[in-house]
Amino acid sequence: MAKFSANFWSSEFCSTAGFDTLVKRLKEGKKMCQDFEEFLEKRARIEKDYGESLIRLAKVVSGKDEIGTLRRSWDQLKTDTENIGKLHVGLAQKMMEELHHSLREFRDQQRDKRKRSEDTVKRSAAHKKTCFERNNRLKATYEGKCRDADRAEEHYNRLQATPTTKAKDIQSAQKSMEAKRATANAADQTYKESVKNLEEGRQLWEREMEILCTQFQELEEQRVAFLRHKMWTYCNLISQTTVHDDEACENVRQVLEDCNVDSDIDVFVFEKKTGSDRPASIPYENYYHPTQGQEDMAAPPAARTTTSPPHKELPPIPAEEPPPSADQGGTFDSVYSSIAETTAMDLPEGYYASPKSMMEEKVIAVYNYEAQGGQELNLTEGAIIKLMAKEDDVWWCGELDGHVGMFPSAYVEPYEDP
């Protein structure tokens, strides 16, 4: 792993580029901690509001009128919705207690450690800069004094080399030269002392800067590791809550597996049934002729096709012996016994109460009628029946669609061709 202490220096004597970069990085780390704190705070608020909303929802909705297995499923759904809400409220509390508070404490600790190291290096850097500036001034002074001494010495040497120079001028020049050389020597000592102090300041700053690099790297490593751990913990909390949410939903699904449509319908019928008897038909009652009203209503309505008026029991039809003809003087036992043969022969004239011209009479079915035996006709409302005979007031004989059979007279009305 790379080291801060080997990578954040500068060849410029008073440069603070490495220090500024490290300080900036730690401030960015501080901002990251603050952003994560804000994220956790807002997420916890969302979880809390969501959980409380679910709890209120589970308590507000009713569904009290439902019954049976669906009612148990509904109750389980509300219960687990409330439980899920409590889980999310608990998640919000854990986010604040286990993550948010500890993150703030960690950030405060980092700030204190960073502040101490930062202040120390700032002081040493300021001292180094002061020494550097003083050293530059003393160096300039020293160099100026040396130049003055050199010029004084040159002047003295020129005066000595000139024969016409007075002794007094030479002595004056000599004294000036010696004074300026002494001043240059003093400036030299001061400058040397300044260089020594500057080096001590540089070494102090370098030691402090190296310590800061080490401490800042430790703080940065701790911060990255700490945030990684807290983010991991955050994801674990979310995952655990999600698992609990699914468990709550599974509880509902298990109850729903026992929800039975047939059972709930049976429960409803058993608990709420009002009876199986339907209202009877109300007959028409003629104010002036009560009996006539009852006769008019004797015919059953079309909707009650399963109820048939009483009819005569039919005698068995001879199967082996052929029926006697009219020419042989034979007689018919009844209309029922001759239905099968009426299509192949004429009925004896005068046998029925109605004349033979009745064979041309037609009737129309006004109700549906289901045959009660093989010798009866199935009537459909609107069917045209060719009337063949009237055995009595109840049963008539006719032909429909090539079939001859008996039918109740109450189910038909006279019909005239248009």
Side-chain angles (χ1 to χ4, degrees):
M1 181 172 58
K3 298 294 183 182
F4 287 2
S5 58
N7 293 279
F8 292 95
W9 304 95
S10 175
S11 59
E12 185 181 349
F13 192 84
C14 291
S15 174
T16 60
F19 171 78
D20 294 339
T21 301
L22 292 177
V23 170
K24 183 174 182 294
R25 177 57 186 165
L26 263 68
K27 287 183 177 179
E28 291 171 347
K30 171 187 174 183
K31 183 63 169 59
M32 175 61 198
C33 292
Q34 292 174 334
D35 291 343
F36 191 34
E37 285 180 40
E38 183 180 1
F39 171 83
L40 291 173
E41 185 176 354
K42 291 183 178 180
R43 179 58 192 270
R45 188 180 302 115
I46 291 173
E47 291 293 337
K48 182 179 179 182
D49 293 343
Y50 174 64
E52 291 177 348
S53 297
L54 288 179
I55 294 174
R56 287 195 299 270
L57 175 64
K59 293 181 178 180
V60 168
V61 295
S62 177
K64 60 183 180 63
D65 296 327
E66 191 51 68
I67 60 174
T69 57
L70 186 60
R71 174 59 182 270
R72 289 194 294 271
S73 300
W74 170 246
D75 290 341
Q76 187 67 42
L77 179 63
K78 291 198 300 179
T79 299
D80 283 296
T81 299
E82 183 177 358
N83 292 337
I84 291 174
K86 292 178 180 179
L87 286 172
H88 285 272
V89 172
L91 174 61
Q93 295 175 348
K94 289 181 180 178
M95 284 184 181
M96 295 300 294
E97 295 173 359
E98 299 182 15
L99 299 177
H100 184 271
H101 298 334
S102 60
L103 186 60
R104 176 168 294 181
E105 292 176 359
F106 173 80
R107 180 167 58 83
D108 293 341
Q109 293 173 0
Q110 286 238 319
R111 180 197 60 200
D112 295 339
K113 293 179 181 179
R114 175 182 58 81
K115 188 70 173 170
R116 287 194 296 268
S117 298
E118 185 179 344
D119 291 343
T120 301
V121 173
K122 281 183 177 180
R123 286 193 298 268
S124 63
H127 176 67
K128 182 186 72 166
K129 184 178 181 180
T130 300
C131 292
F132 177 74
E133 293 174 349
R134 181 173 180 273
N135 183 74
N136 288 341
R137 290 195 304 271
L138 291 175
K139 180 182 178 182
T141 301
Y142 161 68
E143 291 175 348
K145 297 300 181 183
C146 288
R147 285 191 294 271
D148 290 344
D150 290 344
R151 285 193 294 268
E153 186 176 356
E154 290 176 359
H155 179 67
Y156 171 73
N157 290 334
R158 282 195 305 269
L159 290 177
Q160 267 191 333
T162 303
T164 60
T165 303
K166 296 179 180 180
K168 182 179 177 181
D169 292 336
I170 293 175
Q171 290 177 354
S172 175
Q174 184 179 3
K175 287 181 181 180
S176 175
M177 178 191 70
E178 291 174 351
K180 289 185 178 181
R181 182 60 62 185
T183 301
N185 290 334
D188 179 55
Q189 291 298 320
T190 303
Y191 173 56
K192 287 181 180 179
E193 187 68 24
S194 174
V195 171
K196 180 181 177 181
N197 292 335
L198 178 60
E199 178 60 17
E200 290 176 353
R202 185 196 68 79
Q203 292 179 359
L204 175 63
W205 170 83
E206 185 175 317
R207 288 194 300 271
E208 297 295 342
M209 181 63 182
E210 190 165 359
I211 292 173
L212 178 136
C213 289
T214 302
Q215 290 183 344
F216 274 25
Q217 182 160 358
E218 290 177 356
L219 291 175
E220 184 65 7
E221 291 173 0
Q222 291 173 2
R223 184 188 69 85
V224 173
F226 180 82
L227 288 179
R228 175 183 179 273
H229 172 69
K230 291 304 178 181
M231 290 179 185
W232 196 293
T233 303
Y234 164 81
C235 292
N236 287 342
L237 291 175
I238 297 296
S239 297
Q240 291 173 1
T241 304
T242 303
V243 171
H244 293 322
D245 287 351
D246 186 68
E247 290 175 352
C249 292
E250 181 62 23
N251 293 336
V252 179
R253 286 191 289 266
Q254 290 177 355
V255 177
L256 286 171
E257 288 179 354
D258 296 331
C259 183
N260 185 278
V261 177
D262 295 342
S263 175
D264 283 13
I265 296 300
D266 290 342
V267 170
F268 170 72
V269 171
F270 178 77
E271 294 181 354
K272 306 296 183 179
K273 63 181 180 180
T274 59
S276 58
D277 295 334
R278 304 179 186 183
S281 299
I282 299 177
Y284 166 74
E285 297 180 1
N286 189 289
Y287 181 80
Y288 298 99
H289 306 285
T291 305
Q292 178 182 350
Q294 295 177 2
E295 291 176 353
D296 292 342
M297 294 300 295
R304 301 180 64 182
T305 57
T306 57
T307 304
S308 302
H311 58 276
K312 299 181 178 181
E313 294 293 335
L314 303 178
I317 300 175
E320 300 296 336
E321 299 180 359
S325 63
D327 297 337
Q328 297 173 345
T331 60
F332 292 87
D333 294 332
S334 69
V335 176
Y336 262 43
S337 62
S338 62
I339 289 175
E341 289 80 14
T342 54
T343 58
M345 57 179 292
D346 294 330
L347 294 172
E349 188 175 348
Y351 179 78
Y352 297 102
S354 58
K356 186 175 182 179
S357 62
M358 185 177 293
M359 296 297 295
E360 302 300 328
E361 185 178 355
K362 295 180 181 179
V363 293
I364 183 172
V366 294
Y367 304 108
N368 295 332
Y369 175 75
E370 184 178 353
Q372 304 299 309
Q375 296 174 329
E376 296 181 8
L377 294 177
N378 282 317
L379 301 184
T380 303
E381 183 179 354
I384 306 300
I385 304 103
K386 181 180 179 181
L387 185 60
M388 300 180 65
K390 294 182 180 180
E391 183 173 357
D392 53 30
D393 293 337
V394 178
W395 290 97
W396 293 354
C397 176
E399 179 184 357
L400 175 63
D401 296 334
H403 299 285
V404 177
M406 302 298 292
F407 59 89
S409 60
Y411 282 71
V412 297
E413 292 180 352
Y415 173 78
E416 293 181 359
D417 290 327

